Amino acid sequence: NAGVMQNPRHLVRRRGQEARLRCSPMKGHSHVYWYRQLPEEGLKFMVYLQKENIIDESGMPKERFSAEFPKEGPSILRIQQVVRGDSAAYFCASMTSDNEQFFGPGTRLTVL
Amino acid sequence: DQQVKQNSPSLSVQEGRISILNCDYTNSMFDYFLWYKKYPAEGPTFLISISSIKDKNEDGRFTVFLNKSAKHLSLHIVPSQPGDSAVYFCAASGSSNTGKLIFGQGTTLQVKP
């Protein structure tokens, strides 16, 4: 049973470009959480999605960031017009029915 | 507003001794607490959890203690092993907040052989 998969593992973008981060939850999991870890900090919640629905986006920046979890395919975290402050590790987690969250290996975004 | 705090950025212990990692929280609505371990360039790995109806949960070398009145929890690792060297995050969630986890800043544990 493959774990949570994220790709790419490393992503380099220039300021103003778009970044797309993908997350495939564990088989059978339909809940996905996205977290961001800035250097020297803990993980900060961004968004919680179920298939085709955004349940809680209270941690998402109001502009440039969006997330989706379509009926088919991975969850996508999209960052438009990236800035240097977006450089961070982005983790997704999928959740079992008994509320245990399993994390992927993360995508490390570097904005030049 | 840091609702979950780990005030010790780092901890160093000798192999075989006890490691005690501490965590404080401010939100009384939290009712489930977790500890995660993280190696560099990897995602957090779940270690152990505790519900607010309990004050202790033990799993092998790992024990978590919860003091609700003090809004404090701790993770005890005994005996500590060099492979335990990692960053440890405590996290909290509440039944009313959609399951999202609120993380502390992390404590880097170094276990010396």
Side-chain angles (χ1 to χ4, degrees):
Chain A
N1 184 16
V4 178
M5 300 176 69
Q6 290 187 249
N7 66 81
R9 293 292 310 276
H10 300 275
L11 182 61
V12 179
R13 285 287 178 266
R14 297 191 180 280
R15 280 180 296 170
Q17 292 184 320
E18 178 180 287
R20 283 187 176 233
L21 290 64
R22 287 176 289 277
C23 169
S24 296
M26 292 177 74
K27 187 176 180 181
H29 291 191
S30 59
H31 303 249
V32 167
Y33 294 80
W34 284 92
Y35 295 84
R36 174 166 67 173
Q37 184 183 22
L38 294 170
E40 309 301 324
E41 294 187 13
L43 283 75
K44 296 280 197 298
F45 166 78
M46 298 182 76
V47 62
Y48 164 41
L49 308 105
Q50 293 179 13
K51 283 283 187 182
E52 299 185 278
N53 286 304
I54 297 174
I55 306 303
D56 181 351
E57 56 182 348
S58 59
M60 286 278 270
K62 298 292 182 226
E63 297 177 349
R64 302 188 297 108
F65 284 72
S66 62
E68 62 176 6
F69 190 14
K71 186 176 179 181
E72 301 290 338
S75 175
I76 306 285
L77 179 67
R78 182 182 177 205
I79 311 172
Q80 295 178 290
Q81 299 176 326
V82 296
V83 300
R84 288 218 174 106
D86 297 332
S87 295
Y90 292 82
F91 294 96
C92 80
S94 69
M95 188 171 74
T96 64
S97 56
D98 56 1
N99 296 328
E100 187 172 328
Q101 292 189 23
F102 293 86
F103 283 82
T107 294
R108 191 163 300 277
L109 173 65
T110 301
V111 179
L112 301 177
Chain B
D1 177 27
Q2 189 71 30
Q3 297 186 71
V4 178
K5 296 180 183 179
Q6 293 176 255
N7 291 317
S8 297
S10 62
L11 175 67
S12 181
V13 300
Q14 207 64 37
E15 181 179 6
R17 306 294 293 267
I18 185 171
S19 296
I20 301 176
L21 297 97
N22 294 302
C23 179
D24 298 292
Y25 63 96
T26 58
N27 190 338
S28 57
M29 298 301 290
F30 290 147
D31 59 8
Y32 191 60
F33 304 90
L34 310 90
W35 284 94
Y36 283 84
K37 175 181 179 180
K38 186 180 180 303
Y39 293 116
E42 295 184 13
T45 302
F46 171 77
L47 265 181
I48 192 169
S49 62
I50 187 166
S51 163
S52 60
I53 63 173
K54 295 185 175 182
D55 55 17
K56 177 182 175 181
N57 188 26
E58 189 173 353
D59 183 2
R61 297 186 297 114
F62 302 91
T63 303
V64 56
F65 296 92
L66 176 62
N67 182 335
K68 288 192 293 294
S69 61
K71 294 190 176 69
H72 177 84
L73 62 154
S74 60
L75 174 69
H76 293 210
I77 307 172
V78 56
S80 302
Q81 299 173 353
D84 296 329
S85 298
V87 180
Y88 289 78
F89 291 99
C90 95
S93 72
S95 56
S96 61
N97 71 351
T98 69
K100 67 185 179 189
L101 297 177
I102 310 299
F103 283 85
Q105 308 96 308
T107 297
T108 300
L109 172 66
Q110 183 184 25
V111 180
K112 296 179 179 177

